Coordinates of all heavy atoms in Angstrom, one line a residue:
A1 N 106.6 238.7 81.8 CA 105.3 239.1 82.3 C 104.8 240.3 81.6 O 103.6 240.4 81.3 CB 105.4 239.3 83.8
R2 N 105.7 241.2 81.3 CA 105.3 242.5 80.6 C 104.8 242.2 79.2 O 103.7 242.7 78.8 CB 106.4 243.5 80.5 CG 106.0 244.8 79.9 CD 107.1 245.8 79.9 NE 108.0 245.5 78.7 CZ 108.8 246.4 78.3 NH1 108.9 247.6 78.8 NH2 109.6 246.1 77.3
T3 N 105.4 241.3 78.5 CA 105.0 240.9 77.2 C 103.6 240.3 77.2 O 102.7 240.6 76.4 CB 106.0 240.0 76.5 OG1 107.2 240.7 76.4 CG2 105.6 239.7 75.1
A4 N 103.4 239.4 78.2 CA 102.1 238.7 78.3 C 101.0 239.7 78.6 O 99.9 239.7 78.1 CB 102.2 237.6 79.4
A5 N 101.3 240.7 79.5 CA 100.3 241.7 79.9 C 100.1 242.6 78.7 O 98.9 243.0 78.4 CB 100.8 242.5 81.0
A6 N 101.1 242.9 77.9 CA 100.9 243.8 76.7 C 100.0 243.1 75.7 O 99.2 243.7 75.0 CB 102.3 244.2 76.1
R7 N 100.3 241.8 75.5 CA 99.4 241.0 74.6 C 98.0 241.0 75.0 O 97.1 240.9 74.1 CB 100.0 239.6 74.4 CG 101.2 239.5 73.6 CD 101.6 238.1 73.2 NE 102.8 238.1 72.4 CZ 103.9 237.5 72.7 NH1 104.0 236.7 73.8 NH2 104.9 237.6 71.9
S8 N 97.7 241.1 76.3 CA 96.3 241.2 76.7 C 95.7 242.6 76.7 O 94.6 242.8 77.1 CB 96.2 240.5 78.1 OG 96.8 241.4 79.1
G9 N 96.5 243.6 76.2 CA 96.0 244.9 76.1 C 96.5 246.0 77.1 O 96.1 247.1 77.0
V10 N 97.4 245.6 78.0 CA 97.9 246.6 79.0 C 98.9 247.5 78.2 O 99.8 247.0 77.6 CB 98.5 245.9 80.2 CG1 99.1 246.9 81.1 CG2 97.5 245.1 80.9
V11 N 98.8 248.8 78.4 CA 99.7 249.7 77.7 C 100.9 250.0 78.7 O 100.7 250.3 79.8 CB 99.0 251.0 77.3 CG1 100.0 252.0 76.6 CG2 97.8 250.7 76.4
F12 N 102.1 250.0 78.1 CA 103.3 250.3 78.9 C 104.1 251.4 78.3 O 104.1 251.6 77.0 CB 104.2 249.1 79.0 CG 103.7 248.0 79.8 CD1 102.9 247.0 79.3 CD2 104.1 247.9 81.2 CE1 102.5 245.9 80.1 CE2 103.6 246.9 82.0 CZ 102.8 245.9 81.4
V13 N 104.8 252.2 79.1 CA 105.8 253.2 78.6 C 107.1 252.8 79.2 O 107.2 252.6 80.4 CB 105.4 254.6 79.0 CG1 106.5 255.6 78.6 CG2 104.1 255.0 78.3
T14 N 108.1 252.7 78.4 CA 109.5 252.4 78.9 C 110.2 253.7 79.1 O 110.3 254.5 78.2 CB 110.2 251.5 77.8 OG1 109.5 250.3 77.6 CG2 111.6 251.1 78.3
A15 N 110.7 253.9 80.3 CA 111.5 255.0 80.7 C 112.6 254.6 81.6 O 112.6 253.5 82.2 CB 110.5 256.1 81.4
S16 N 113.5 255.6 81.8 CA 114.7 255.3 82.6 C 115.0 256.4 83.6 O 114.8 257.6 83.3 CB 116.0 255.1 81.7 OG 117.1 254.9 82.5
R17 N 115.4 256.0 84.8 CA 115.8 257.0 85.8 C 117.3 257.2 85.9 O 117.8 258.0 86.7 CB 115.3 256.6 87.2 CG 113.8 256.5 87.2 CD 113.3 256.1 88.6 NE 113.7 257.1 89.6 CZ 113.3 257.1 90.8 NH1 112.3 256.2 91.2 NH2 113.7 258.0 91.7
T18 N 118.1 256.6 85.0 CA 119.5 256.7 85.1 C 120.1 258.1 84.6 O 121.2 258.4 85.0 CB 120.2 255.6 84.3 OG1 119.8 255.8 82.9 CG2 119.7 254.3 84.7
G19 N 119.3 258.8 83.8 CA 119.8 260.1 83.3 C 120.9 260.0 82.3 O 121.6 260.9 82.0
S20 N 121.0 258.8 81.7 CA 122.1 258.6 80.7 C 121.6 258.6 79.3 O 122.3 258.1 78.4 CB 122.8 257.3 81.0 OG 121.9 256.2 80.9
G21 N 120.4 259.1 79.1 CA 120.0 259.2 77.7 C 118.5 258.7 77.5 O 117.8 258.4 78.4
S22 N 118.2 258.7 76.3 CA 116.8 258.3 75.9 C 116.6 256.8 75.9 O 117.5 256.0 75.8 CB 116.5 258.8 74.4 OG 116.7 260.1 74.3
T23 N 115.3 256.4 76.1 CA 114.9 255.0 76.0 C 114.2 254.9 74.7 O 113.3 255.6 74.3 CB 114.0 254.6 77.1 OG1 112.9 255.4 77.2 CG2 114.7 254.6 78.5
Y24 N 114.6 253.9 73.9 CA 114.1 253.6 72.6 C 113.6 252.1 72.6 O 113.8 251.4 73.6 CB 115.1 253.8 71.5 CG 115.6 255.2 71.4 CD1 116.9 255.5 71.9 CD2 114.8 256.2 70.9 CE1 117.4 256.8 71.9 CE2 115.3 257.5 70.9 CZ 116.6 257.8 71.3 OH 117.0 259.1 71.3
G25 N 112.9 251.7 71.6 CA 112.6 250.3 71.4 C 111.2 250.0 71.8 O 110.9 248.9 72.2
G26 N 110.3 250.9 71.6 CA 108.9 250.6 71.8 C 108.5 249.6 70.8 O 109.2 249.3 69.8
S27 N 107.4 249.0 70.9 CA 106.9 248.0 70.0 C 105.7 248.5 69.2 O 104.8 249.1 69.7 CB 106.5 246.7 70.8 OG 105.9 245.8 69.9
S28 N 105.8 248.3 67.9 CA 104.7 248.7 67.0 C 103.6 247.7 67.0 O 102.4 248.0 66.8 CB 105.2 248.9 65.6 OG 105.8 247.8 65.1
S29 N 103.9 246.4 67.3 CA 102.9 245.4 67.3 C 102.2 245.2 68.7 O 101.1 244.7 68.8 CB 103.5 244.1 66.9 OG 104.5 243.7 67.8
L30 N 102.9 245.6 69.8 CA 102.4 245.6 71.1 C 102.2 247.0 71.7 O 102.9 247.9 71.3 CB 103.3 244.8 72.1 CG 103.5 243.3 71.7 CD1 104.6 242.7 72.6 CD2 102.2 242.6 72.0
P31 N 101.4 247.2 72.7 CA 101.2 248.5 73.3 C 102.4 248.9 74.3 O 102.1 249.2 75.4 CB 99.9 248.5 74.0 CG 99.7 247.0 74.3 CD 100.4 246.3 73.2
I32 N 103.6 248.8 73.8 CA 104.8 249.2 74.6 C 105.4 250.4 73.9 O 105.8 250.3 72.7 CB 105.8 248.1 74.7 CG1 105.2 246.8 75.4 CG2 107.0 248.5 75.4 CD1 106.0 245.6 75.4
I33 N 105.4 251.6 74.5 CA 105.8 252.8 74.0 C 107.1 253.3 74.6 O 107.2 253.2 75.8 CB 104.7 253.9 74.2 CG1 103.4 253.4 73.7 CG2 105.1 255.2 73.6 CD1 102.2 254.2 74.1
A34 N 108.1 253.7 73.7 CA 109.3 254.2 74.2 C 109.1 255.6 74.8 O 108.5 256.5 74.2 CB 110.3 254.3 73.1
G35 N 109.6 255.8 76.0 CA 109.5 257.1 76.7 C 110.4 258.2 76.3 O 110.4 259.3 76.7
D36 N 111.3 257.8 75.4 CA 112.4 258.7 74.9 C 113.1 259.4 76.1 O 113.7 258.8 76.9 CB 111.8 259.7 73.9 CG 111.4 259.0 72.6 OD1 112.0 258.1 72.2 OD2 110.4 259.5 72.0
D37 N 113.0 260.8 76.1 CA 113.7 261.5 77.2 C 112.9 261.8 78.4 O 113.3 262.5 79.3 CB 114.2 262.9 76.6 CG 115.4 262.7 75.6 OD1 116.2 261.7 75.8 OD2 115.4 263.4 74.6
L38 N 111.7 261.3 78.5 CA 110.8 261.6 79.6 C 111.3 260.9 80.9 O 111.7 259.7 80.8 CB 109.4 261.2 79.3 CG 108.5 262.1 78.4 CD1 107.2 261.4 78.2 CD2 108.3 263.4 79.0
L39 N 111.2 261.6 82.0 CA 111.5 261.0 83.3 C 110.3 260.0 83.5 O 109.2 260.2 83.1 CB 111.5 262.0 84.4 CG 112.6 263.0 84.4 CD1 112.4 264.1 85.4 CD2 114.0 262.3 84.6
P40 N 110.6 258.9 84.2 CA 109.5 258.0 84.5 C 108.2 258.6 85.1 O 107.1 258.2 84.8 CB 110.1 256.9 85.3 CG 111.6 257.0 85.1 CD 111.8 258.5 84.8
Q41 N 108.5 259.5 86.0 CA 107.3 260.2 86.7 C 106.5 260.9 85.7 O 105.2 260.9 85.8 CB 107.9 261.1 87.8 CG 108.7 260.4 88.9 CD 110.1 260.3 88.6 OE1 110.6 260.4 87.4 NE2 110.9 260.2 89.6
K42 N 107.1 261.7 84.8 CA 106.4 262.4 83.8 C 105.7 261.5 82.8 O 104.6 261.7 82.3 CB 107.3 263.4 83.1 CG 107.7 264.5 84.0 CD 108.6 265.5 83.3 CE 109.1 266.6 84.3 NZ 110.0 267.6 83.6
A43 N 106.4 260.4 82.4 CA 105.9 259.5 81.5 C 104.6 258.8 82.1 O 103.6 258.6 81.4 CB 106.9 258.4 81.1
R44 N 104.6 258.5 83.3 CA 103.5 257.9 84.0 C 102.3 258.8 84.0 O 101.2 258.4 83.7 CB 103.8 257.5 85.4 CG 102.7 256.9 86.2 CD 103.1 256.5 87.6 NE 102.0 255.8 88.3 CZ 101.2 256.5 89.1 NH1 101.3 257.8 89.4 NH2 100.2 255.8 89.7
L45 N 102.5 260.1 84.3 CA 101.4 261.1 84.3 C 100.8 261.3 83.0 O 99.6 261.3 82.8 CB 101.9 262.4 84.9 CG 102.2 262.4 86.4 CD1 102.8 263.7 86.8 CD2 100.9 262.2 87.2
L46 N 101.7 261.4 82.0 CA 101.2 261.5 80.6 C 100.5 260.3 80.1 O 99.5 260.4 79.4 CB 102.4 261.9 79.6 CG 102.0 262.2 78.2 CD1 100.9 263.3 78.1 CD2 103.2 262.6 77.4
L47 N 100.9 259.1 80.5 CA 100.2 257.9 80.1 C 98.9 257.9 80.8 O 97.9 257.5 80.2 CB 101.1 256.7 80.6 CG 100.4 255.3 80.3 CD1 100.2 255.1 78.8 CD2 101.3 254.2 80.8
L48 N 98.8 258.2 82.1 CA 97.5 258.2 82.8 C 96.5 259.2 82.1 O 95.3 258.8 81.9 CB 97.7 258.6 84.3 CG 98.4 257.5 85.1 CD1 98.7 258.1 86.5 CD2 97.5 256.4 85.3
L49 N 97.0 260.4 81.8 CA 96.1 261.3 81.1 C 95.7 260.9 79.7 O 94.5 261.0 79.4 CB 96.8 262.7 81.0 CG 96.9 263.5 82.3 CD1 97.9 264.7 82.1 CD2 95.6 263.9 82.8
S50 N 96.6 260.3 79.0 CA 96.3 259.8 77.7 C 95.3 258.7 77.7 O 94.3 258.7 77.0 CB 97.6 259.3 77.0 OG 98.5 260.3 76.8
L51 N 95.4 257.8 78.7 CA 94.5 256.7 78.8 C 93.1 257.2 79.3 O 92.1 256.6 79.0 CB 95.0 255.6 79.8 CG 96.2 254.8 79.2 CD1 96.8 253.9 80.3 CD2 95.8 254.0 78.0
A52 N 93.1 258.2 80.1 CA 91.8 258.8 80.6 C 91.0 259.4 79.4 O 89.8 259.3 79.4 CB 92.1 259.8 81.7
F53 N 91.7 260.0 78.5 CA 91.0 260.6 77.4 C 90.8 259.7 76.2 O 89.9 259.9 75.4 CB 91.8 261.9 76.9 CG 91.6 263.1 77.8 CD1 92.5 263.3 78.8 CD2 90.5 263.9 77.6 CE1 92.3 264.4 79.6 CE2 90.3 265.0 78.5 CZ 91.2 265.2 79.5
S54 N 91.6 258.7 76.1 CA 91.5 257.8 74.9 C 91.9 256.3 75.3 O 92.9 255.8 74.9 CB 92.4 258.3 73.8 OG 92.2 257.5 72.6
P55 N 91.0 255.7 76.2 CA 91.4 254.4 76.8 C 91.5 253.3 75.8 O 92.3 252.3 76.0 CB 90.3 254.1 77.8 CG 89.2 255.0 77.3 CD 89.7 256.2 76.6
A56 N 90.8 253.3 74.7 CA 90.8 252.2 73.7 C 91.6 252.4 72.5 O 91.7 251.5 71.6 CB 89.4 251.9 73.3
D57 N 92.3 253.6 72.4 CA 93.0 253.9 71.2 C 94.5 254.0 71.5 O 95.1 255.1 71.8 CB 92.5 255.3 70.6 CG 93.1 255.6 69.2 OD1 93.9 254.8 68.7 OD2 92.6 256.6 68.7
T58 N 95.2 252.9 71.4 CA 96.7 252.8 71.7 C 97.4 253.7 70.7 O 98.4 254.3 71.1 CB 97.2 251.4 71.6 OG1 96.4 250.6 72.5 CG2 98.6 251.3 72.0
G59 N 97.0 253.8 69.5 CA 97.7 254.7 68.5 C 97.6 256.1 68.9 O 98.7 256.8 68.8
K60 N 96.5 256.6 69.4 CA 96.4 258.0 69.9 C 97.3 258.2 71.1 O 97.9 259.2 71.3 CB 94.9 258.3 70.2 CG 94.7 259.7 70.6 CD 95.2 260.7 69.5 CE 94.0 261.3 68.8 NZ 94.5 262.3 67.9
V61 N 97.3 257.2 72.1 CA 98.2 257.3 73.2 C 99.6 257.4 72.8 O 100.4 258.2 73.3 CB 97.9 256.1 74.2 CG1 99.0 256.1 75.3 CG2 96.5 256.1 74.7
R62 N 100.0 256.6 71.8 CA 101.4 256.6 71.3 C 101.7 257.9 70.7 O 102.8 258.5 70.9 CB 101.6 255.4 70.3 CG 103.0 255.3 69.8 CD 103.1 254.2 68.7 NE 102.6 252.9 69.2 CZ 103.3 252.0 69.9 NH1 104.5 252.3 70.2 NH2 102.7 250.9 70.3
E63 N 100.8 258.5 69.9 CA 101.0 259.8 69.3 C 101.2 260.9 70.3 O 102.1 261.7 70.2 CB 99.8 260.1 68.4 CG 99.8 261.5 67.8 CD 98.6 261.9 67.1 OE1 97.8 261.0 66.7 OE2 98.3 263.1 66.9
W64 N 100.4 260.9 71.4 CA 100.5 261.9 72.4 C 101.8 261.7 73.2 O 102.4 262.7 73.5 CB 99.3 261.8 73.4 CG 98.0 262.4 72.8 CD1 97.9 263.2 71.7 CD2 96.7 262.1 73.2 NE1 96.6 263.5 71.5 CE2 95.8 262.8 72.4 CE3 96.2 261.3 74.2 CZ2 94.5 262.8 72.5 CZ3 94.8 261.3 74.4 CH2 93.9 262.1 73.5
M65 N 102.2 260.5 73.4 CA 103.5 260.3 74.1 C 104.7 260.8 73.3 O 105.6 261.3 73.9 CB 103.7 258.8 74.5 CG 102.7 258.2 75.5 SD 102.9 259.0 77.1 CE 104.6 258.5 77.6
T66 N 104.6 260.7 72.0 CA 105.7 261.1 71.2 C 105.7 262.6 70.8 O 106.7 263.2 70.5 CB 105.8 260.3 69.9 OG1 104.6 260.4 69.2 CG2 106.1 258.8 70.2
T67 N 104.5 263.2 70.9 CA 104.4 264.6 70.5 C 104.4 265.5 71.8 O 105.2 266.3 72.0 CB 103.2 264.9 69.6 OG1 102.0 264.5 70.3 CG2 103.4 264.3 68.3
L68 N 103.4 265.3 72.7 CA 103.3 266.1 73.9 C 104.4 265.8 74.8 O 104.8 266.6 75.6 CB 101.9 265.8 74.5 CG 100.7 266.2 73.7 CD1 99.4 265.8 74.5 CD2 100.7 267.7 73.4
G69 N 104.9 264.5 74.8 CA 106.0 264.2 75.7 C 107.4 264.6 75.2 O 108.3 264.4 76.0
S70 N 107.4 265.1 74.1 CA 108.7 265.5 73.5 C 109.3 266.7 74.2 O 108.6 267.7 74.4 CB 108.6 265.8 72.0 OG 109.8 266.4 71.5
P71 N 110.6 266.7 74.6 CA 111.2 267.8 75.3 C 111.3 269.1 74.4 O 111.5 270.2 74.8 CB 112.5 267.4 75.8 CG 112.8 266.2 74.9 CD 111.5 265.6 74.5
E72 N 111.1 268.8 73.1 CA 111.2 270.0 72.1 C 109.9 270.6 71.9 O 109.7 271.5 71.1 CB 111.8 269.5 70.8 CG 113.3 269.1 70.9 CD 113.5 267.8 70.4 OE1 112.7 267.3 69.6 OE2 114.6 267.2 70.7
W73 N 108.8 270.1 72.6 CA 107.5 270.6 72.4 C 107.5 272.1 72.8 O 107.8 272.5 73.9 CB 106.5 269.8 73.2 CG 105.1 270.2 73.0 CD1 104.4 270.3 71.8 CD2 104.1 270.4 74.0 NE1 103.1 270.6 72.0 CE2 102.9 270.7 73.4 CE3 104.2 270.4 75.4 CZ2 101.7 270.9 74.1 CZ3 103.0 270.7 76.1 CH2 101.8 270.9 75.4
D74 N 107.0 273.0 71.9 CA 107.0 274.4 72.1 C 105.8 274.8 72.9 O 104.7 274.7 72.3 CB 107.2 275.1 70.8 CG 107.3 276.6 71.0 OD1 107.5 277.1 72.1 OD2 107.2 277.3 70.0
T75 N 105.9 275.3 74.1 CA 104.7 275.7 74.9 C 104.5 277.1 74.8 O 103.5 277.6 75.4 CB 104.9 275.3 76.4 OG1 106.1 276.0 76.9 CG2 105.1 273.8 76.6
A76 N 105.3 277.9 74.1 CA 105.1 279.3 74.0 C 103.9 279.6 73.1 O 103.8 278.9 72.0 CB 106.4 280.0 73.5
P77 N 103.1 280.6 73.4 CA 102.0 281.0 72.5 C 102.5 281.4 71.1 O 103.6 282.0 71.0 CB 101.3 282.1 73.2 CG 101.7 282.0 74.6 CD 103.1 281.4 74.6
K78 N 101.8 281.1 70.1 CA 102.2 281.5 68.7 C 102.2 283.0 68.6 O 101.3 283.7 69.1 CB 101.3 280.8 67.7 CG 101.3 279.3 67.7 CD 102.2 278.8 66.7 CE 102.0 277.3 66.7 NZ 103.2 276.5 67.1
G79 N 103.2 283.5 67.9 CA 103.3 284.9 67.6 C 103.9 285.8 68.8 O 104.0 287.0 68.7
R80 N 104.2 285.1 69.9 CA 104.9 285.9 71.0 C 106.3 285.5 71.0 O 106.7 284.4 71.0 CB 104.2 285.4 72.3 CG 103.0 286.3 72.7 CD 102.5 285.9 74.0 NE 103.2 286.5 75.1 CZ 102.8 286.3 76.3 NH1 101.8 285.5 76.6 NH2 103.5 286.9 77.3
N81 N 107.1 286.5 71.2 CA 108.6 286.3 71.4 C 108.8 286.2 72.9 O 108.5 287.1 73.7 CB 109.3 287.6 70.8 CG 110.8 287.3 70.8 OD1 111.3 286.3 71.2 ND2 111.5 288.3 70.2
V82 N 109.5 285.1 73.3 CA 109.7 284.8 74.7 C 111.1 285.2 75.1 O 111.6 284.8 76.2 CB 109.4 283.4 75.0 CG1 107.9 283.1 75.0 CG2 110.2 282.4 74.1
N83 N 111.9 286.0 74.3 CA 113.2 286.3 74.7 C 113.3 287.3 75.8 O 112.7 288.2 76.1 CB 114.0 286.9 73.4 CG 114.2 285.7 72.5 OD1 114.4 284.6 72.9 ND2 114.4 286.1 71.2

């Protein structure tokens, strides 16, 4: 059912609540994006925000999920030492 919905344009993010690691295996041909280390709740919120700002651009949504959703994303202002 998910594959059929993805073929019709519905965007999905794959995430896991098990806490045992990252989820991989998004599809480059379908709008199925791997959530990597994101909790499903955070992946859902980021997906909703991404779709609100760019509803027709799956590539942009995928980019935001992999950059903004990365746990290594540095939120500290540039030039400030946070030690």
Side-chain angles (χ1 to χ4, degrees):
R2 182 177 81 162
T3 302
R7 284 192 179 124
S8 69
V10 177
V11 180
F12 288 90
V13 174
T14 302
S16 174
R17 293 180 63 165
T18 63
S20 62
S22 299
T23 55
Y24 300 104
S27 173
S28 59
S29 61
L30 293 174
I32 300 174
I33 304 166
D36 293 327
D37 289 325
L38 283 175
L39 294 172
Q41 298 89 337
K42 291 180 180 180
R44 179 178 182 264
L45 289 174
L46 184 54
L47 178 62
L48 288 171
L49 286 170
S50 299
L51 290 172
F53 282 95
S54 187
D57 189 356
T58 305
K60 185 55 111 176
V61 172
R62 185 181 306 276
E63 177 187 339
W64 287 339
M65 291 296 297
T66 58
T67 57
L68 297 176
S70 171
E72 291 131 17
W73 185 50
D74 185 11
T75 59
K78 301 263 186 245
R80 269 180 83 179
N81 189 356
V82 288
N83 290 333

